[in-house]
């Protein structure tokens, strides 16, 4: 989704802004733009990559100076085009020289536009953002901060903005509601950005702007206020990650780097939380609500995309291990139903970014209806982390690859710990818990052994990669794994893939199976093994090419499939943490073999901050 970087300070801003935009590229975008104040306003925007913008401005001296705003746009209102790209200005001839970049959606932009048109404003783009720029211009009376505050009072929707004005050449104003925006504080310099990855190279001190707050920065001062102009004291925090974590190192793609980081990140996620000898789990973030959680009558899990698939696994585990009725729902659907939230309901929002607009709104809705809310999120201090009553962080570090991998393992890992934690408090015996925890502790090492099969997975993938339609099948806990495998393949290789419960195949999708169609089946040893073998036979007898994910030592599986990826034997509730790994690698290899841009898949955004 759109990315913002803005700078005011003592350095040349151009390189810094471009580098910041590159660091935000992973969020997904279709056009880029920049505005700099350097003895007047200078603006460049272009459809396509940041590299294109760089070409336009790199040898143009007007883009010097140390105050500027920059943006990567992911189109919502109006197609990707130079005209719709940000920054947007107020009327070039009659305005005040205001330039603005925006992430979010101004929901009432149509009525605001009519109001402004009646006052003589004319518009050159189809965007909601241009309307906000003109609204600020309308209220401008020599004080940019004041004009921004006044304009934002008229706005409904979500925004993170950075604004400059030709008439105030030493001032940068930023504001936010809903969409994330951080202010990095250096020595006589400020870097404003959508996330820390664009800040950390310059300073590790930052604060997150609160909802409906405005920051006004000059080179040597800053203040934050509410939109009603009440001054606030922001809380400076040390950014938790390092530059190394957001750089590729020896890997060709972030996705591959993150796949290989999974053993380490799962270890970090477990650290200090599990004690396999004592058979206990400590989850500091939920300890104060522990009694309430143990007595929960129903747990509702909310998420989107990969996070939803992790939540589906959480649903199985909470019922299986904790014995608590659990349900999972697309956050985007939940928020617009009239859901019945009975007393004793706990709503868990699962999200890597902690900023997904639908997930945030859904958990807020559940809270309004009386649920206790928990966040299972990665980004510390993100909106969901702040809006929920308690939560457990994933601790997997920054995830840059658009196709989520280590965050999925982190989400499933945390939900597994939560289910075991509640199970232990309810009915799981100490010995059973010890056994489970001992196996859980060994998962990172076992993931490594699956990663070691990458060459074999590449070889198998290369034989079927030219096929355009794939199915992924699983049963029980592996149904969400099948969904996740299909999603990974779609996202980065643009191969059409569907995931489904294996038994559902007979109700329609089986008609698709023809000679050589790849069908990936998660068929590990467990309660539904025989049933899934039956499903594999149904595929094989129609000519499908079956690729099984099976348990090490299962030689019999060769009689039912064409290719096999083995995973180590672990207790059934822990299997998803292993069975998804070959599917991540398969998707990665397929995308590379097809020559796709793995880390910047078309049309996708890493963090979907609009509904
Ligand atoms: C987008 C991303 C997915 C992610 C989903 C939910 O679609 O491309 O990778 O799973 O949003 O994001 P969240 O940050 O809430 O986990």
């Amino acid at each position: 989704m759109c990315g913002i970087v803005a700078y005011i300070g003592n350095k040349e801003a151009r390189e810094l802004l471009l580098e910041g935009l590159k660091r935000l590229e992973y969020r997904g975008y279709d056009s880029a733009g920049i505005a700099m104040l350097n003895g007047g306003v200078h603006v460049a925007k272009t459809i396509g990559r940041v590299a294109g913008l760089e070409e336009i401005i790199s040898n143009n001296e007007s883009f010097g100076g140390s105050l500027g705003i920059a943006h990567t746009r992911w189109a919502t209102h109006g197609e990707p085009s130079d005209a719709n790209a940000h920054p947007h200005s107020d009327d070039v001839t009659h305005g005040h020289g205001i330039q603005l970049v925006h992430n979010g959606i101004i929901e009432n932009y149509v009525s605001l536009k009519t109001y402004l048109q009646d006052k003589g404003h004319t518009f050159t783009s189809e965007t909601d953002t241009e309307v906000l720029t003109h609204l600020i211009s309308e209220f401008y009376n020599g004080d940019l901060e004041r004009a921004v505050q006044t304009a934002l009072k008229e706005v409904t929707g979500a925004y993170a903005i950075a604004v400059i004005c030709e008439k105030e050449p030493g001032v940068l104003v930023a504001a936010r509601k809903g969409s994330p925006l951080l202010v990095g504080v250096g020595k006589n310099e400020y870097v404003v950005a959508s996330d820390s990855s664009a800040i950390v190279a310059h300073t590790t001190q930052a604060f997150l702007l609160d909802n409906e707050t405005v920051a006004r920065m000059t080179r040597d001062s800053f203040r934050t206020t509410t939109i009603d102009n009440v001054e606030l004291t922001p809380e400076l925090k040390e950014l938790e990650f390092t530059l190394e974590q957001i750089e590729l190192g020896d890997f060709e793609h972030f996705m591959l780097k993150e796949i290989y980081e999974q053993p380490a990140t799962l270890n970090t996620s477990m650290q200090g939380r599990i004690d396999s000898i004592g058979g206990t789990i400590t989850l500091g973030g939920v300890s104060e609500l522990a009694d309430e959680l143990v007595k929960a009558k129903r747990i509702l899990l909310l998420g989107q995309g990969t996070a939803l698939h992790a939540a589906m696994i959480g649903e199985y585990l909470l019922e299986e291990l904790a014995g608590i009725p659990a349900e999972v729902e697309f956050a985007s659907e939940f928020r617009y139903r009239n859901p019945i939230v009975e007393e004793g309901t706990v709503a868990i929002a699962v999200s890597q970014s902690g900023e997904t607009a639908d997930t945030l709104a859904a958990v807020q809705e559940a809270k309004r209806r009386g649920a206790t809310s928990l966040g299972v999120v990665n980004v510390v201090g993100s909106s969901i982390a702040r809006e929920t009553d308690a939560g457990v962080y994933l601790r997997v570090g920054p995830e840059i690859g658009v196709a989520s991998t280590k965050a999925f393992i982190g989400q499933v890992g945390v939900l597994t710990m939560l289910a075991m934690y509640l199970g232990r408090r309810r009915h799981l015996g100490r010995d059973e818990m010890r056994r489970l925890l001992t196996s859980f502790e060994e998962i990172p090492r076992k993931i490594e052994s699956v990663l070691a099969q990458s060459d074999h997975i590449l070889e198998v993938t290369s034989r079927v990669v030219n096929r355009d339609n794939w199915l992924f099948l699983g049963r029980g806990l592996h149904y969400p794994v099948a969904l996740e495998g299909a999603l990974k393949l779609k996202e980065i290789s643009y191969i059409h893939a569907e995931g489904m419960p294996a038994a559902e195949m007979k109700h329609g999708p089986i008609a698709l199976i023809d000679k050589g169609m790849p069908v990936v089946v998660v068929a590990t040893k467990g309660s539904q093994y025989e049933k899934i073998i039956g499903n594999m036979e149904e595929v094989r007898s129609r000519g499908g090419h079956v690729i099984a994910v099976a348990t090490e030592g299962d030689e019999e599986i060769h009689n039912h499939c064409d290719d096999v990826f083995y995973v180590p034997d672990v207790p059934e509730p822990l299997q998803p943490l292993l069975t998804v790994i070959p599917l991540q690698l398969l998707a990665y290899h397929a995308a590379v073999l097809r020559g796709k841009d793995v880390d910047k898949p078309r049309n996708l955004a890493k963090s979907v901050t609009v509904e």
Side-chain angles (χ1 to χ4, degrees):
M1 218 90 313
C2 302
I4 291 176
V5 201
Y7 180 80
I8 183 164
N10 41 30
K11 295 190 189 123
E12 271 289 305
R14 174 173 36 196
E15 280 313 310
L16 196 147
L17 292 172
L18 285 169
E19 180 220 292
L21 286 187
K22 285 182 194 160
R23 296 229 186 257
L24 296 179
E25 278 188 307
Y26 79 98
R27 295 166 66 89
Y29 70 105
D30 43 57
S31 47
I34 190 166
M36 306 223 24
L37 270 183
N38 183 28
V41 182
H42 303 278
V43 182
K45 2 193 222 181
T46 180
I47 187 167
R49 295 285 181 217
V50 174
L53 181 69
E54 189 169 18
E55 251 172 55
I56 299 170
I57 65 170
S58 58
N59 293 319
N60 185 338
E61 277 174 22
S62 340
F63 288 88
S66 51
L67 171 56
I69 57 176
H71 190 262
T72 46
R73 174 174 187 253
W74 189 87
T76 55
H77 292 68
E79 57 169 9
S81 68
D82 289 359
N84 288 334
H86 302 203
H88 285 284
S89 64
D90 60 349
D91 198 314
V92 179
T93 39
H94 306 295
H96 303 287
I98 292 174
Q99 297 285 338
L100 178 145
V101 291
H102 168 221
N103 171 20
I105 288 184
I106 308 299
E107 283 167 10
N108 58 338
Y109 83 105
V110 175
S111 57
L112 290 173
K113 194 169 184 175
T114 311
Y115 162 80
L116 289 163
Q117 276 165 335
D118 289 347
K119 289 194 164 284
H121 291 258
T122 52
F123 295 89
T124 56
S125 80
E126 300 154 88
T127 65
D128 51 336
T129 304
E130 191 185 12
V131 175
L132 177 58
T133 318
H134 281 251
L135 191 65
I136 293 169
S137 182
E138 179 62 26
F139 294 128
Y140 186 77
N141 202 359
D143 182 346
L144 185 61
E145 179 194 37
R146 200 83 198 93
V148 168
Q149 289 167 337
T150 314
L152 292 179
K153 282 201 245 186
E154 305 301 322
V155 159
T156 54
Y159 54 79
I161 56 170
V163 200
I164 53 176
C165 176
E166 200 169 356
K167 292 183 176 160
E168 293 176 63
V171 176
L172 169 64
V173 174
R176 97 168 261 246
K177 180 185 171 197
S179 311
L181 200 63
L182 283 157
V183 180
V185 181
K187 197 162 180 288
N188 294 332
E189 61 176 359
Y190 300 92
V191 189
V192 177
S194 300
D195 69 48
S196 351
S197 60
I199 295 179
V200 78
H202 310 288
T203 173
T204 55
Q205 296 286 307
F207 64 89
L208 186 69
L209 273 185
D210 272 327
N211 270 338
E212 302 201 315
T213 61
V214 178
R216 177 189 190 273
M217 291 147 278
T218 66
R219 275 173 192 86
D220 47 16
S221 74
F222 83 94
R223 66 174 213 139
T224 56
T225 52
T226 65
I227 55 175
D228 294 313
N229 200 27
V230 177
E231 199 153 340
L232 304 164
T233 317
E235 202 186 321
L236 266 190
K237 290 228 166 83
E238 183 77 16
L239 293 179
E240 286 204 343
F241 62 86
T242 60
L243 209 51
E244 195 187 27
Q245 283 178 299
I246 54 168
E247 286 186 338
L248 269 176
D250 293 335
F251 287 91
E252 211 166 315
H253 298 101
F254 279 107
M255 182 184 178
L256 192 64
K257 178 179 181 235
E258 287 158 5
I259 289 174
Y260 276 85
E261 276 172 3
Q262 292 177 117
T265 54
L266 186 57
N267 256 326
T268 310
S269 190
M270 290 178 191
Q271 254 163 39
R273 288 174 168 165
I274 66 169
D275 170 7
S276 58
I277 298 167
T280 55
I281 293 187
T282 312
L283 297 173
V286 295
S287 58
E288 281 183 17
L289 289 179
D291 292 339
E292 208 174 312
L293 300 182
V294 171
K295 286 191 222 123
K297 293 211 176 70
R298 177 175 163 247
I299 294 183
L300 179 67
L301 296 121
L302 302 161
Q304 296 288 137
T306 287
L308 184 94
H309 299 154
M312 290 170 81
I313 294 171
E315 178 191 30
Y316 277 89
L317 294 175
L318 285 161
E319 293 196 333
E320 186 70 26
L321 299 175
I324 302 175
E327 270 167 62
V328 64
E329 188 156 351
F330 283 105
S332 56
E333 292 298 314
F334 176 85
R335 65 182 289 199
Y336 288 118
R337 282 199 295 115
N338 189 8
I340 294 158
V341 176
E342 289 152 341
E343 211 189 317
T345 299
V346 173
I348 305 182
V350 184
S351 172
Q352 187 284 126
S353 62
E355 300 293 347
T356 300
D358 282 321
T359 310
L360 176 61
V363 77
Q364 285 169 329
E365 183 58 29
K367 237 176 120 174
R368 256 193 301 277
R369 289 171 183 253
T372 300
S373 60
L374 296 188
V376 171
V377 302
N378 192 33
V379 179
V380 176
S382 55
S383 300
I384 293 174
R386 285 145 54 111
E387 288 285 318
T388 41
D389 300 321
V392 186
Y393 281 119
L394 307 185
R395 299 190 191 151
V396 302
E399 188 178 65
I400 307 290
V402 170
S404 182
T405 53
K406 66 174 180 175
F408 176 78
I409 287 293
Q411 287 155 351
V412 176
V414 165
L415 290 167
T416 307
M417 286 190 273
L418 187 63
M420 291 193 282
Y421 170 77
L422 297 178
R424 177 78 183 101
R425 294 277 308 262
R426 287 164 65 94
H427 61 87
L428 277 183
R430 176 184 287 220
D431 287 346
E432 196 177 351
M433 188 70 171
R434 279 183 179 149
R435 268 197 301 277
L436 263 177
L437 283 178
T438 305
S439 301
F440 187 54
E441 244 173 0
E442 287 169 0
I443 296 287
R445 202 172 39 79
K446 293 187 169 166
I447 293 179
E448 271 168 20
S449 77
V450 184
L451 294 173
Q453 297 169 48
S454 182
D455 288 349
H456 169 60
I457 295 170
L458 168 62
E459 190 271 317
V460 171
T461 310
S462 66
R463 283 191 272 112
V464 278
V465 74
N466 57 346
R467 301 292 303 216
D468 288 329
N469 287 295
W470 293 47
L471 289 185
F472 286 72
L473 308 179
R475 283 175 169 265
L477 276 163
H478 296 304
Y479 156 45
V481 173
L483 289 175
E484 180 58 10
L487 178 65
K488 290 286 86 83
L489 192 65
K490 282 186 263 216
E491 280 181 308
I492 53 170
S493 67
Y494 318 146
I495 292 171
H496 175 249
E498 268 188 74
M500 67 194 67
E504 185 63 18
M505 180 184 65
K506 284 201 280 294
H507 297 278
I510 200 166
L512 297 169
I513 295 173
D514 58 3
K515 194 160 167 31
M517 179 182 189
V519 180
V520 180
V521 186
V522 186
T524 42
K525 289 277 184 181
S527 51
Q528 303 207 42
Y529 179 71
E530 278 80 23
K531 302 261 177 242
I532 201 101
I533 295 289
N535 298 129
M536 287 158 75
E537 283 306 320
E538 288 157 8
V539 175
R540 293 244 296 170
S541 57
R542 285 159 183 86
H545 181 116
V546 175
I547 302 170
V549 177
T551 305
E552 261 169 30
D554 180 3
E555 294 303 327
E556 159 69 15
I557 199 86
H558 289 286
N559 299 326
H560 308 287
C561 64
D562 299 276
D563 290 293
V564 57
F565 305 146
Y566 280 117
V567 296
D569 194 13
V570 294
E572 206 167 350
L574 306 179
Q575 288 180 3
L577 292 163
L578 296 178
T579 52
V580 76
I581 307 290
L583 307 191
Q584 296 172 340
L585 284 168
L586 183 152
Y588 173 78
H589 291 313
V592 173
L593 287 164
R594 284 193 165 215
K596 304 298 178 213
D597 190 344
V598 175
D599 287 331
K600 296 187 208 90
R602 69 181 179 207
N603 305 339
L604 292 185
K606 177 74 186 156
S607 170
V608 180
T609 51
V610 296
E611 62 178 278

